[in-house]
C-alpha cells in the first residue's frame, strides 16, 4: 500500500506532537525540539512581518522560539498562557496590544529577547497536510500594532503551512519507524527521561528480539524487503495486542522492540510473559508464507533516578538476546551474563582482526598412529591463537565464537590454506603422511568442495591426502543437501571422519547413511577407561560396531600406556593422544616423524 508521509504519521498512535529531538538543540531549549526548516520559515516570517519573535507551539505544550537576536533561537521563554491558548484554539487570532487587553491583565508579561515586554501578538493554527491540528505559529513584537493587513495575514498563513509540513517531516524522520510506524529509539529514551522528570523511581524495561540478525539478513536476501517489512509489521501487531493499553511500544532495531513498564505492572507476571513468548512463537503467516521466529524477551529493573546515557537499552537487549536461546524465551538481565557477552564481543572483534590483518594464528599438528605397525598415517591440524594480551586462547573457546559470529568460513579457509601448504612441504621432504582438518557446520555447503579443490590444486597436493573431521552433531543435522556435499567431497578422494563420536545422541545406524570413512571415539570415554570398566565397555562396543559398519576406527585421548595396551585389544585401527604425542608445532613434526618411523 502506498501512503504519504502524512498518512503514515496519522496512523501512528504515538505521533502526538511529532517532533524531532536533536541532542544539541535540546541543550539550548528546555522543552526543546527541532522542526526541519523551522528557522528558515521563522526568519522569513519575522523579516516580512517585521516582528522581533516567532514561536512554534504544539498542542502538547512543546515549543520552539525564533528570534533575530543572535544566539537566541530556541532559547526557552516559558510557556505563557497566551501560547498555550494559541496552540489549542485552532483559529487565527490577533492581539494588537496585550498590555491593553483585559483578558491578560492578571497574567505575567510576555517576555522575549528584548528587555521590554512583548505587546503585539498574532497566531495562526498549524495543521498537518491532512488537516490535523497540531499547534500554532505565533509572532510577537514589543511594539503594539493596530492590526495585520491582508498581505501580512496571508504571509502568516503561508508560514504556518510550511511549519506544518516541517512538523510532519520531523515526526516522520525523527521518531517513527517507516515500516511499523512505531516510535523508535530516541522516543524510547524521551519516554524514560520524562518518567525521570515526573519523579518515577523505578521502571521495568522490556526488550523483545525476534530474530538473530545474521539469519534475518539471509532471510531478507532470500525473501526480499517487502516480506521482511510485512513480517515486522505482523510482529509489532502481536506485541501491541499483548501490551497494556497505556504503554507505548518502540522499535529500537530492525528486529528489536522495547517498552517501558511501570513498577508492579501486571504484564510483568510470569504467566503474562509466558503468554507473550507463546504468542511470538506461534508461526506467522506472512504473504502466504509461514515462518516461525525465535523470540527472546529481556527484562531489566531500572533505577530511573540513575538514568544516564543509552546503556539501559543495551543491557536489556543483552537479556533478550540471552532469552532467545533459553527454553522459556524470557529472561531477567544478569550482570554476569552481560560481562560474558562483552568478553565474547571483545574476543570476536579481536579474532576477526587476527584472521584478517594479524599473524596471531598458528597450527599445531597431532600425530595419529596405526596400531598394526605404529606408523603415523595422519596428522590432525589444530588451530592455536596467541593473543598479544590475552595469551593463548584455547580453540574450545574461540571456535564456537567464530561459529556464532559468522567467522567460520574465514577461519577454515585459513586453516586449509596453511595446513595444506605445510603438508605439501612435508611431502616434498619425503614424509608419507596425510592431514586431517576440523570443519564446522558453517563450512557445510557446496562451496566446500570448490574450496578443497582450489587449495589442493594451489599447493599441488592430492585431495586423497586430506580428511575432513565433522563433529557428530554437525552430521546429525544432515539432510539431502548435506549428503550431496559429502558425496562430492568423497568423489575428490578426501576422507570424512566423524569426530567426538559418543558426545551426541546419534545412533551409528543413522550415521551410516552418511558417506563417512572414519569414526573417532570421543576422548571423554577413553581417558577414564582404566578407572571405569563401564567406559571401557562402551569404547569396546562402539569400536566393534563401527568397524562392522565399515568405518575406520580411531580412538582419541589415549593418555597412558595402559590405555594404549587396552585399546590394542579392541576393534581399533588408529590411536591419537598424549601418550603417542601432544600436538606439535610444525617445526617439530619432521624430527618426530623420523624418530617414529626409524623406531
Ligand atoms: P578435536 O578435534 O576433538 O581435537 C582433539 C583435541 O583433544 C585437541 O584439543 C587435542 O589437543 C586434545 N587432545 C588430544 N589428545 C589428548 C589426550 O590424550 N588427552 C587430552 N586431555 N586431550 C587430548 P584442542 O587443540 O584444544 O582442540 C579442541 C577442539 O577445538 C578440537 O577438538 C576441535 O573440535 C576444535 N578445533 C581445533 N582446531 C580447529 C580448527 O582448526 N577448526 C575447527 N573447526 N575446530 C578446531
Ligand atoms: Mg578433530
Ligand atoms: Mg575429537
Amino acid at each position: 500500500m502506498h501512503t504519504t508521509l502524512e498518512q503514515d504519521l496519522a496512523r501512528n498512535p504515538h505521533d502526538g506532537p511529532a517532533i524531532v529531538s536533536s541532542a544539541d538543540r535540546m541543550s539550548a531549549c528546555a522543552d526543546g525540539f527541532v522542526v526541519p526548516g523551522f528557522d528558515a520559515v521563522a526568519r522569513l516570517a519575522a523579516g516580512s512581518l517585521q516582528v522581533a519573535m516567532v514561536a512554534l507551539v504544539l498542542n502538547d505544550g512543546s515549543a520552539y522560539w525564533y528570534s533575530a537576536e543572535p544566539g537566541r533561537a530556541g532559547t526557552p521563554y516559558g510557556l505563557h498562557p497566551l501560547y498555550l491558548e494559541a496552540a489549542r484554539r485552532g483559529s487565527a487570532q490577533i492581539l494588537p496590544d496585550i498590555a491593553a487587553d483585559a483578558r491578560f491583565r492578571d497574567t505575567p508579561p510576555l517576555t522575549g529577547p528584548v528587555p521590554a515586554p512583548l505587546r503585539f501578538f498574532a497566531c495562526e493554527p498549524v495543521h498537518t497536510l491532512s488537516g490535523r491540528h497540531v499547534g500554532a505559529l505565533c509572532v510577537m513584537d514589543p511594539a503594539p500594532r493596530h492590526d495585520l493587513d491582508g498581505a501580512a495575514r496571508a504571509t502568516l498563513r503561508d508560514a504556518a503551512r510550511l511549519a506544518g509540513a516541517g512538523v510532519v517531516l520531523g515526526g516522520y524522520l525523527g521518531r517513527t519507524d517507516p515500516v511499523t510506524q512505531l516510535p523508535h529509539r530516541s522516543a524510547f529514551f524521551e519516554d524514560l527521561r520524562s518518567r525521570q522528570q515526573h519523579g518515577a523511581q523505578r521502571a521495568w524495561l522490556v526488550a523483545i528480539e525476534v530474530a538473530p540478525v545474521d539469519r534475518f539478513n539471509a532471510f531478507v536476501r532470500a525473501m526480499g524487503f517487502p516480506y521482511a517489512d510485512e513480517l515486522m509489521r505482523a510482529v509489532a501487531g502481536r506485541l501491541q495486542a499483548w501490551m497494556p493499553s497505556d504503554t507505548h511500544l518502540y522499535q529500537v532495531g530492525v528486529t528489536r522492540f522495547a517498552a517501558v513498564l511501570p513498577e508492579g505492572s501486571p504484564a510483568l507476571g510470569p504467566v503474562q510473559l509466558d503468554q507473550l513468548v507463546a504468542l511470538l512463537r506461534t508461526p506467522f503467516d506472512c504473504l502466504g508464507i509461514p515462518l516461525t521466529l525465535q523470540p527472546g524477551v529481556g527484562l531489566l529493573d531500572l533505577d530511573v533516578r540513575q538514568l544516564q546515557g543509552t546503556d539501559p537499552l543495551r543491557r536489556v537487549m543483552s537479556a533478550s538476546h540471552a532469552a532467545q536461546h533459553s527454553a522459556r524465551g524470557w529472561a531477567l538481565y544478569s550482570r554476569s551474563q552481560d560481562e560474558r557477552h562483552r568478553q565474547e564481543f571483545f574476543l570476536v572483534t579481536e579474532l576477526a582482526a587476527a584472521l584478517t590483518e594479524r599473524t596471531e594464528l598458528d597450527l599445531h599438528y597431532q600425530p595419529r598412529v596405526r596400531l598394526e605397525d605404529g606408523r603415523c598415517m595422519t596428522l590432525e591440524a589444530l588451530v592455536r591463537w596467541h593473543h598479544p594480551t590475552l595469551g593463548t586462547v584455547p580453540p574450545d573457546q574461540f571456535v564456537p565464537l567464530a561459529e556464532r559470529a559468522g567467522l567460520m568460513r574465514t577461519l577454515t579457509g585459513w586453516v586449509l590454506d596453511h595446513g595444506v601448504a605445510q603438508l605439501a612441504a612435508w611431502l616434498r621432504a619425503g614424509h608419507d603422511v596425510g592431514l586431517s582438518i576440523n570443519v564446522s557446520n558453517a563450512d557445510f555447503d557446496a562451496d566446500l568442495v570448490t574450496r578443497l579443490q582450489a587449495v589442493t590444486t594451489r599447493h599441488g597436493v592430492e585431495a586423497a591426502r586430506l580428511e575432513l573431521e565433522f563433529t557428530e552433531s554437525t552430521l546429525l543435522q544432515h539432510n539431502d543437501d548435506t549428503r550431496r556435499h559429502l558425496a562430492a567431497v568423497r568423489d575428490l578422494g578426501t576422507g570424512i571422519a566423524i569426530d567426538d563420536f559418543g558426545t551426541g545422541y546419534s545412533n551409528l545406524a543413522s550415521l551410516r547413511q552418511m558417506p563417512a570413512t572414519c569414526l573417532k571415539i570421543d576422548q571423554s570415554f577413553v581417558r577414564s577407561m582404566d578407572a571405569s570398566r563401564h567406559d571401557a565397555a562402551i569404547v569396546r562396543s562402539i569400536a566393534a560396531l563401527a568397524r562392522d559398519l565399515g568405518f575406520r576406527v580411531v580412538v582419541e585421548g589415549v593418555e597412558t600406556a595402559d590405555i594404549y595396551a587396552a585399546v590394542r585389544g579392541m576393534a581399533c585401527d588408529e590411536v591419537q593422544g598424549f601418550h603417542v604425542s601432544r600436538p606439535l608445532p610444525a617445526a617439530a613434526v619432521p624430527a618426530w616423524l623420523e624418530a617414529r618411523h626409524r623406531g
Side-chain angles (χ1 to χ4, degrees):
M1 181 179 60
H2 179 77
T3 54
T4 61
L5 293 185
E6 175 87 33
Q7 284 166 329
D8 283 347
L9 194 65
R11 279 194 308 168
N12 175 8
H14 310 295
D15 57 354
I19 28 185
V20 180
S21 349
S22 132
D24 6 80
R25 271 302 179 40
M26 292 288 278
S27 58
C29 181
D31 268 304
F33 64 85
V34 175
V35 170
F38 175 68
D39 273 7
V41 172
R43 201 176 311 120
L44 282 175
S48 59
L49 297 173
Q50 291 294 303
V51 290
M53 255 177 90
V54 180
L56 176 61
V57 188
L58 299 181
N59 49 23
D60 73 330
S62 49
Y64 187 81
W65 285 265
Y66 170 84
S67 157
E69 289 282 300
R72 295 301 182 94
T75 308
Y77 294 98
L79 272 186
H80 193 274
L82 254 179
Y83 293 126
L84 293 175
E85 212 256 335
R88 288 187 195 120
R89 65 184 286 128
S91 60
Q93 187 184 26
I94 295 170
L95 300 175
D97 185 359
I98 303 165
D101 196 311
R103 285 172 300 167
F104 300 102
R105 203 171 311 151
D106 298 330
T107 58
L110 185 62
T111 51
V114 280
L118 295 163
R119 303 274 293 273
F120 171 71
F121 181 95
C123 68
E124 181 69 33
V126 171
H127 294 102
T128 62
L129 302 173
S130 61
R132 197 160 49 89
H133 172 228
V134 289
L137 184 70
C138 311
V139 293
M140 287 80 66
D141 198 73
R145 302 233 175 133
H146 287 301
D147 201 351
L148 284 180
D149 62 17
R153 284 172 192 236
T155 302
L156 187 56
R157 257 197 314 278
D158 287 348
R161 221 170 269 160
L162 285 172
V167 167
V168 173
L169 191 65
Y172 193 81
L173 296 180
R175 284 176 62 105
T176 313
D177 183 89
V179 172
T180 56
Q181 304 304 319
L182 291 175
H184 64 43
R185 199 161 38 220
S186 60
F188 171 82
F189 284 108
E190 273 166 35
D191 184 342
L192 270 179
R193 272 193 296 270
S194 121
R195 275 164 205 260
Q196 190 184 38
Q197 278 157 10
H198 287 91
Q201 309 213 327
R202 307 201 77 86
W204 280 88
L205 304 194
V206 183
I208 301 109
E209 166 93 79
V210 289
V213 170
D214 53 343
R215 259 187 46 205
F216 189 75
N217 289 344
F219 169 77
V220 170
R221 273 198 303 277
M223 305 300 298
F225 284 103
Y227 187 91
D229 289 353
E230 193 56 39
L231 179 65
M232 282 308 118
R233 277 192 284 268
V235 171
R238 283 194 197 174
L239 284 173
Q240 266 169 331
W242 175 86
M243 299 261 300
S245 56
D246 58 349
T247 310
H248 288 181
L249 181 66
Y250 301 91
Q251 180 137 25
V252 294
V254 184
T255 59
R256 295 183 178 130
F257 301 85
V260 186
L261 265 62
E263 247 186 314
S265 167
L268 295 164
V271 176
Q272 287 72 13
L273 291 167
D274 284 344
Q275 279 167 354
L276 171 60
V277 171
L279 193 65
L280 295 171
R281 282 181 179 164
T282 308
F284 286 83
D285 190 346
C286 192
L287 304 177
I289 303 168
L291 187 92
T292 306
L293 295 178
Q294 188 188 351
V297 177
L299 300 150
L300 169 72
D301 179 12
L302 181 72
D303 185 343
V304 180
R305 293 162 298 186
Q306 312 276 317
L307 178 68
Q308 248 179 0
T310 57
D311 199 52
L313 186 59
R314 186 196 64 74
R315 282 187 283 149
V316 70
M317 278 176 6
S318 95
S320 62
H321 190 73
Q324 275 194 303
H325 305 284
S326 74
R328 187 146 216 190
W330 57 269
L332 290 178
Y333 167 77
S334 127
R335 187 186 291 276
S336 59
Q337 196 154 44
D338 189 21
E339 285 301 315
R340 251 198 326 277
H341 281 152
R342 281 169 173 249
Q343 176 71 8
E344 271 197 8
F345 181 74
F346 172 68
L347 271 184
V348 165
T349 43
E350 287 295 285
L351 180 60
L355 274 169
T356 50
E357 60 212 50
R358 306 199 298 233
T359 51
E360 294 160 14
L361 294 183
D362 177 23
L363 286 177
H364 278 202
Y365 299 86
Q366 189 176 31
R368 222 161 84 181
V369 296
R370 198 154 64 184
L371 274 177
E372 161 195 336
D373 55 6
R375 281 192 70 88
C376 170
M377 309 300 300
T378 304
L379 295 137
E380 177 174 3
L382 295 162
V383 66
R384 297 289 177 259
W385 179 16
H386 311 286
H387 186 273
T389 55
L390 299 170
T392 300
V393 187
D396 288 348
Q397 236 177 63
F398 70 85
V399 169
L401 263 191
E403 272 171 4
R404 285 204 290 281
L407 292 171
M408 213 53 223
R409 284 178 55 88
T410 318
L411 180 62
T412 303
W414 186 92
V415 173
L416 263 175
D417 198 44
H418 286 73
V420 176
Q422 183 60 71
L423 175 65
W426 289 330
L427 291 171
R428 281 195 300 273
H431 299 288
D432 181 18
V433 285
L435 187 72
S436 75
I437 283 173
N438 294 282
V439 288
S440 88
N441 232 342
D443 300 303
F444 228 157
D445 55 21
D447 207 28
L448 183 59
V449 180
T450 321
R451 291 160 81 199
L452 257 179
Q453 261 172 328
V455 76
T456 46
T457 311
R458 184 159 63 246
H459 298 294
V461 170
E462 287 168 85
R465 291 268 176 190
L466 298 183
E467 183 182 76
L468 299 184
E469 297 191 12
F470 295 90
T471 62
E472 181 187 347
S473 53
T474 302
L475 289 180
L476 265 185
Q477 300 163 11
H478 61 234
N479 53 32
D480 288 344
D481 269 352
T482 327
R483 213 163 312 167
R484 251 201 319 280
H485 301 324
L486 287 179
V489 170
R490 282 297 300 130
D491 287 345
L492 294 179
T494 300
I496 293 169
I498 303 166
D499 201 1
D500 302 344
F501 184 82
T503 53
Y505 301 94
S506 53
N507 61 51
L508 270 173
S510 78
L511 282 178
R512 188 56 280 184
Q513 299 166 7
M514 288 286 142
T517 44
C518 169
L519 185 134
K520 299 180 80 175
I521 301 177
D522 190 64
Q523 43 180 288
S524 54
F525 308 105
V526 181
R527 287 210 306 266
S528 49
M529 252 173 64
D530 39 4
S532 154
R533 286 182 37 213
H534 182 70
D535 280 356
I538 291 180
V539 175
R540 179 183 303 281
S541 46
I542 294 178
L545 193 58
R547 190 181 273 167
D548 275 355
L549 288 168
F551 292 113
R552 183 170 181 74
V553 178
V554 179
V555 173
E556 289 188 88
V558 173
E559 286 185 347
T560 63
D562 285 349
I563 298 179
Y564 189 89
V567 170
R568 283 189 84 107
M570 299 182 183
C572 169
D573 300 290
E574 289 177 59
V575 297
Q576 178 178 353
F578 292 172
H579 174 69
V580 175
S581 168
R582 293 193 170 250
L584 302 167
V589 169
W592 188 92
L593 286 173
E594 271 153 33
R596 179 97 197 167
H597 294 158
R598 211 180 309 124

